[in-house]
Amino acid sequence: MFGSFVKAAALGALTLLLGASTTVQAKANGIDTDVHSLRAFTLELPYVDEGFQMRNYDFGGDAIVNTLSRIRLTPDLQSRMGWVWSTTPLPDDYWKVEFEIKVGGKGGYLYGDGMGFFVTKERASPGPVFGNRDYFHGLGVLFDTYPNGKHDFSTPFVMGMVGDGKTAYDGAHDGDANRLGMCEAYFRNLNNPTKVAVTYYKGRFVNVQLQLQPKDKWINCFTINNATLPTGSYLGFTALTGDISDNHDLISVRAETLRSEALENYNFSPDMGVPAAPTISGASFLGTVVKLLLVVGVCVGAFVGYRKYSADSARRF
């Protein structure tokens, strides 16, 4: 009977060991059940449903939906403006939006003006800030391809600002007065779309990363620390041309969030812009193995002692 107990204990320990190993392998393979896809914000080919309606988004201005390839916010023509806005707001505490854009045209030296990614209290309100209204309340990530003033950095570049609804965008100086982060990034006239990942964690940070081409490493463009966006903010993509022009295309959009419990337990790295999922590290996994082996060892030792005790008792009689 005692032998059966030892075998059961050893089997249980082995099961726990295999379970821990499976957890480590699942995390290593990027499987995370705490991540929740926000399907209402997904935009992908063909962009419209069977009734030729765009679900969960509105579009307007000069934007044209090509069901075979792209959403063209503006063509390579002067004085055009286009936009796409979600009809529902993003979560207030945490979200990550990954999208693809393609910018380019015939202009060799003069081209513009650029496009914007917005998460703001207002929606579908066209204006001079790369196709969005001025004095907006929320986040703006601006893809600027034309310099209005002299700078110590090159164009194109990507910059971030958080509008308070009362302060104007400093368009005459390419947002110098509003800029909270930026990076130079030549995303224009590339062979493939540029991927962008924007991550927001309320009260902690907004982080922007770029992958200019499929085989390139992700670039940590900038981080805005201690950022808090207004509740009930909508997701928007806009573009604008003036005397000079470019094609500004939106290729795809997807978004995700995290369960509230996971959000409380996750460790975030603003420099990387992605949550570090709680995993069993190598050290803790080794510790688990050692503890389980000790349990098995104790059980085996007790079994050996019991057998010896039984043999000694039998010899006495």
Side-chain angles (χ1 to χ4, degrees), residues 7-272:
K7 290 179 182 179
L11 181 60
L14 181 59
T15 301
L16 291 173
L17 179 59
L18 291 174
S21 177
T22 301
T23 301
V24 172
Q25 187 61 40
K27 294 296 184 180
N29 290 337
I31 301 171
D32 195 343
T33 57
D34 292 327
V35 176
H36 174 62
S37 176
L38 297 172
R39 298 188 182 279
F41 297 91
T42 298
L43 264 180
E44 57 189 10
L45 291 172
Y47 308 115
V48 295
D49 59 21
E50 58 277 5
F52 296 98
Q53 299 295 318
M54 184 181 288
R55 293 182 180 178
N56 306 312
Y57 282 91
D58 290 331
F59 69 97
D62 295 299
I64 298 176
V65 177
N66 184 326
T67 58
L68 298 177
S69 59
R70 61 181 176 264
I71 300 174
R72 177 148 288 174
L73 298 175
T74 70
D76 189 3
L77 297 171
Q78 295 178 337
S79 303
R80 301 302 173 97
M81 178 190 303
W83 50 265
V84 172
W85 281 90
S86 70
T87 56
T88 56
L90 282 164
D92 293 328
D93 51 0
Y94 171 90
W95 47 258
K96 179 180 179 182
V97 177
E98 188 172 308
F99 57 97
E100 293 179 295
I101 59 173
K102 206 167 190 302
V103 179
K106 298 178 182 178
Y109 297 99
L110 294 176
Y111 42 81
D113 286 316
M115 63 185 298
F117 163 95
F118 294 95
V119 179
T120 61
K121 192 71 174 177
E122 316 82 12
R123 64 175 298 275
S125 182
V129 186
F130 298 92
N132 190 30
R133 59 171 287 174
D134 204 352
Y135 300 95
F136 61 83
H137 190 191
L139 173 67
V141 178
L142 310 178
F143 299 80
D144 198 334
T145 56
Y146 180 76
N148 292 313
K150 293 183 178 180
H151 304 287
D152 58 357
F153 53 83
S154 301
T155 306
F157 67 93
V158 183
M159 66 155 278
M161 62 175 287
V162 177
D164 59 6
K166 303 175 183 178
T167 305
Y169 169 67
D170 182 18
H173 304 95
D174 301 306
D176 283 350
N178 317 99
R179 191 180 306 119
L180 298 177
M182 68 154 292
C183 70
E184 299 176 12
Y186 201 88
F187 52 82
R188 184 179 180 273
N189 270 352
L190 299 178
N191 292 330
N192 297 288
T194 294
K195 287 186 178 181
V196 185
V198 183
T199 306
Y200 169 66
Y201 186 15
K202 183 179 179 179
R204 302 287 188 90
F205 65 86
V206 170
N207 176 265
V208 176
Q209 295 186 24
L210 308 172
Q211 187 185 40
L212 297 178
Q213 289 292 267
K215 294 183 180 180
D216 293 349
K217 293 182 179 179
W218 282 86
I219 300 169
N220 187 22
C221 186
F222 63 84
T223 299
I224 302 173
N225 291 313
N226 306 314
T228 299
L229 303 181
T231 59
S233 290
Y234 296 88
L235 171 63
F237 301 88
T238 67
L240 178 73
T241 67
D243 294 333
I244 53 178
S245 61
D246 250 343
N247 296 311
H248 297 96
D249 297 338
L250 178 63
I251 309 300
S252 69
V253 182
R254 68 178 183 87
E256 62 186 37
T257 187
L258 296 175
R259 293 188 303 106
S260 299
E261 298 84 353
L263 194 61
E264 295 174 358
N265 297 326
Y266 273 28
N267 294 319
F268 287 84
S269 173
D271 291 333
M272 294 302 295

Side-chain angles (χ1 to χ4, degrees), residues 1-3 300-313:
M1 181 176 178
F2 191 80
V300 171
F303 176 66
V304 171
Y306 175 76
R307 290 292 297 272
K308 187 175 186 301
Y309 172 77
S310 299
D312 289 346
S313 297

